[in-house]
Amino acid sequence: MYQDIKLDEIDINLNPPTEEPGRQYYFMAKCRERTRVFERERGRLPKACVVNMGCQMNARDSEKLLGILREAGYEASEEEQADFVIYNTCTVRDNANQKVYGRLGVLNGHKKRNPGMRIALCGCMTQEPSALKKIRQSYPFVDLIFGTHNIYKFAELLDAMYESRGTVVDIWEEADRIVEDLPLERKYAFKSGINIMFGCNNFCSYCIVPNVRGRERSREPGDILREMEGLVSEGVTEIMLLGQNVNSYGKTLEEPMSFAQLLREAEGIEGLRRIRFMTSHPKDLSEELIEVMKGSSKICRHLHLPLQSGSTRILEAMNRRYTKEQYVELALRIRREIPDIAITTDIIVGFPGETEADVEETLDVIRRVKFDNAFTFVYSKRTGTPAAKMEQVPKEQVKVWFDRVLRLVQETARERALLCRGQVSEALVEEVNENDPSMVTGRLSNNLLVHFPGDEELIGKLVSVSLDECHGFYYIGHRA
Ligand code: SAH
Ligand code: SF4
Ligand code: F3S
């Protein structure tokens, strides 16, 4: 494991090794030497800020970036004070890209006041040729740009950036391998995400993710379980298994293994109290998974099952490979088998060719399944996806539909949340309440939040809470 490698024992006067992750530790040692010089000259450590702009997978990548920066001798700071800022970008919808452009403008102002400052971009947006071109043309003050497939090389790229006068750009079209055992800096002491697979093979017709994250690759179960055990030994009690489509985990391994089998193995890890996972594609959700969830005392009572649309016609155009009826049947079966489960979803409104009748179908599914929560998105046209070439729906029309869908999902979510009133449930305490320091915030197995009287001491602990007052998406309670 990486903890065993002593950076100060690495001779940086020798040539860098060729094997990984050893090569990256060499560059971390080299970067650390540079931060020592900085410290001697400036009387303080250099400060770094990693800004995460994407999904849980991006958040996990940000922890890897922070881990490497920590090894290299940086101190974490806010963006305004940082000597090195890196944006870990998302490009799933166009507004994510616009946010990056806006913030880069502001960052340029900071850089003018602090000329030694360096700016880097990585993540999904840099994998998109049109975005990359725009960044290179309009934001020449960015010092380092790399993508999703070579993030394991961050230490080496950081060193190259300081050695170079111009912008260092390194974008790969495909991943060449999965590099294990690099450092990590976890955001929370008591819970963690962990990648079980990378990329996606589904090519939903609206989605840019397969283009920017590459083909589906599963990590070896042994590596995953070893990492989980390591986390538990460090005090982690809740682990979220991450993948674009966890239900197809293991299919590409030399010795294929199902996601349900992986969960069974994970269940056996002593000291691990809660297991979550994201995301489940309905077309690949197996009977075996339902069985494993049903019989498990650790897998949380929450399933995120993206619907996208309730219209079979639109689902077909989206290349989702299930029908409205198949989705409803699956969701209701899960509700029957595991009655206390929360089902949440993603819905896109305004997909090309969508009509009022299609939106009615979506509303019908919401009424029948009664989602516990739903992320509702306005369709965003992504260059390079098949849907970008289809006939787009006028924006004003989409807005009207969007509001209707949103109102209904809020109604069903409230209705579902109310069902827990008066129950006593176990909450994992995550933080002291921002608005009221006499309260803490905990998360229930079904993903609902509960605020109740308590202090810092409780953070990371599982406590029994009585759910007293329902406020739609959260509860106010007291320790039972
Ligand atoms: N792999 C996951 C989703 C990853 S993206 C899955 O298939 O469930 C998260 C969500 O963003 C998607 O579920 C979808 O609802 C939304 N999304 C993806 N592309 C989009 C686009 N072009 N416009 C609007 N929403 C989009
Ligand atoms: Fe995108 Fe579909 Fe893959 Fe999810 S499953 S990442 S929506 S292509
Ligand atoms: Fe965004 Fe990339 Fe995640 S595009 S949603 S950060 S996989």
Side-chain angles (χ1 to χ4, degrees):
M1 288 293 275
Y2 75 87
Q3 285 93 338
D4 300 334
I5 298 177
K6 298 203 169 48
L7 286 191
D8 288 335
E9 287 170 9
I10 295 175
D11 187 351
I12 56 172
N13 296 312
L14 299 175
N15 284 331
T18 49
E19 85 286 0
E20 298 291 3
R23 185 175 171 87
Q24 298 313 312
Y25 282 94
Y26 169 94
F27 284 105
M28 279 175 238
K30 199 163 166 228
C31 289
R32 185 183 278 184
E33 193 50 42
R34 194 177 283 111
T35 57
R36 286 209 176 106
V37 174
F38 183 102
E39 191 181 11
R40 275 201 298 277
E41 287 171 358
R42 311 276 290 270
R44 64 167 178 90
L45 289 171
K47 298 185 171 122
C49 177
V50 178
V51 183
N52 181 58
M53 302 176 130
C55 61
Q56 276 97 344
M57 259 144 292
N58 255 46
R60 185 63 174 164
D61 284 344
S62 292
E63 295 187 340
K64 296 176 188 168
L65 298 171
L66 264 177
I68 290 170
L69 286 165
R70 179 199 60 209
E71 292 298 317
Y74 286 80
E75 201 174 63
S77 83
E78 294 300 317
E79 202 170 325
E80 294 77 31
Q81 286 88 42
D83 301 289
F84 176 71
V85 176
I86 178 160
Y87 284 171
N88 189 9
T89 61
C90 170
T91 188
V92 75
R93 286 167 289 275
D94 186 55
N95 53 10
N97 294 37
Q98 297 310 323
K99 205 156 72 188
V100 173
Y101 297 133
R103 288 181 72 157
L104 275 177
V106 178
L107 214 51
N108 194 23
H110 296 315
K111 192 170 180 179
K112 284 189 179 131
R113 285 188 293 279
N114 176 8
M117 182 183 177
R118 294 284 195 279
I119 299 171
L121 285 182
C122 67
C124 295
M125 184 177 159
T126 64
Q127 292 286 149
E128 243 191 301
S130 57
L132 180 64
K133 193 164 152 216
K134 176 163 175 172
I135 296 161
R136 298 207 60 184
Q137 277 171 355
S138 311
Y139 304 90
F141 54 87
V142 175
D143 302 285
L144 168 64
I145 307 171
F146 60 98
T148 55
H149 302 306
N150 53 350
I151 186 166
Y152 73 84
K153 273 185 67 184
F154 175 49
E156 184 168 353
L157 293 165
L158 189 67
D159 177 62
M161 177 191 77
Y162 282 106
E163 297 280 331
S164 154
R165 286 182 172 272
T167 307
V168 173
V169 182
D170 193 12
I171 310 281
W172 298 358
E173 276 193 13
E174 271 296 331
D176 61 344
R177 63 185 114 180
I178 297 175
V179 178
E180 300 285 346
D181 295 330
L182 283 163
L184 266 167
E185 173 95 3
R186 271 185 287 110
K187 190 168 170 203
Y188 298 97
F190 54 89
K191 68 168 184 176
S192 179
I194 133 166
N195 302 103
I196 62 166
M197 59 208 295
F198 302 94
C200 182
N201 283 353
N202 286 312
F203 294 97
C204 301
S205 66
Y206 50 82
C207 185
I208 192 85
V209 171
N211 302 18
V212 298
R213 286 268 169 183
R215 292 298 60 73
E216 184 180 297
R217 299 153 332 265
S218 293
R219 282 177 73 195
E220 288 294 333
D223 288 332
I224 297 170
L225 296 167
R226 192 163 55 100
E227 186 175 351
M228 291 177 84
E229 282 160 4
L231 288 168
V232 170
S233 72
E234 290 168 18
V236 168
T237 47
E238 178 177 304
I239 293 182
M240 184 183 269
L241 308 176
L242 301 171
Q244 293 298 351
N245 176 13
V246 292
N247 294 333
S248 72
Y249 169 79
K251 288 186 181 154
T252 54
L253 290 171
E254 246 167 61
E255 283 178 49
M257 179 188 209
S258 71
F259 179 54
Q261 277 171 299
L262 180 72
L263 282 174
R264 268 204 197 95
E265 302 263 335
E267 178 95 17
I269 297 177
E270 218 172 298
L272 178 63
R273 303 284 298 273
R274 279 181 169 185
I275 304 169
R276 297 183 184 276
F277 54 84
M278 264 195 118
T279 297
S280 274
H281 196 305
K283 78 173 164 62
D284 297 313
L285 198 142
S286 66
E287 215 38 59
E288 191 192 5
L289 178 68
I290 301 175
E291 281 309 307
V292 170
M293 287 185 84
K294 214 167 125 178
S296 165
S297 59
K298 295 186 179 175
I299 302 173
C300 287
R301 290 317 194 219
H302 175 212
L303 182 70
H304 188 63
L305 194 66
L307 167 68
Q308 313 302 2
S309 167
S311 153
T312 296
R313 191 178 72 86
I314 294 295
L315 286 169
E316 202 177 337
M318 286 177 161
N319 191 29
R320 290 290 290 180
R321 286 172 277 175
Y322 51 85
T323 63
K324 173 191 182 185
E325 290 312 324
Q326 282 168 333
Y327 183 97
V328 173
E329 203 266 320
L330 175 66
L332 296 184
R333 185 164 79 232
I334 295 166
R335 282 223 192 279
R336 258 196 324 272
E337 300 272 345
I338 314 169
D340 54 347
I341 202 163
I343 301 181
T344 59
T345 202
D346 292 344
I347 294 168
I348 297 176
V349 183
F351 182 83
E354 195 165 48
T355 64
E356 183 96 17
D358 295 313
V359 178
E360 283 300 333
E361 300 272 13
T362 300
L363 294 169
D364 184 48
V365 175
I366 301 169
R367 272 186 216 107
R368 284 161 71 182
V369 176
K370 294 193 193 305
F371 293 108
D372 293 74
N373 206 348
F375 296 103
T376 316
F377 305 108
V378 168
Y379 167 77
S380 172
K381 183 172 157 180
R382 309 312 291 129
T383 310
T385 62
K389 296 193 200 80
M390 301 176 190
E391 193 176 329
Q392 309 290 310
V393 182
K395 283 206 170 60
E396 316 74 65
Q397 182 61 73
V398 177
K399 172 91 181 77
V400 176
W401 293 339
F402 181 86
D403 290 344
R404 276 170 68 193
V405 171
L406 188 65
R407 226 173 306 130
L408 187 62
V409 292
Q410 285 174 343
E411 253 171 55
T412 64
R414 209 166 291 135
E415 198 181 311
R416 291 281 311 166
L418 256 179
L419 295 178
C420 302
R421 194 165 55 184
Q423 288 178 2
V424 171
S425 198
E426 213 174 43
L428 177 63
V429 181
E430 298 197 338
E431 58 195 7
V432 173
N433 193 301
E434 268 180 26
N435 305 318
D436 180 352
S438 72
M439 308 274 274
V440 291
T441 302
R443 192 178 294 274
L444 306 180
S445 172
N446 68 7
N447 218 32
L448 269 180
L449 292 179
V450 56
H451 307 293
F452 61 97
D455 57 32
E456 222 175 17
E457 292 288 296
L458 288 177
I459 292 177
K461 299 212 166 72
L462 280 157
V463 284
S464 285
V465 184
S466 164
L467 305 174
D468 305 327
E469 270 173 55
C470 183
H471 289 250
F473 299 102
Y474 65 91
Y475 267 90
I476 302 287
H478 69 276
R479 281 187 81 170

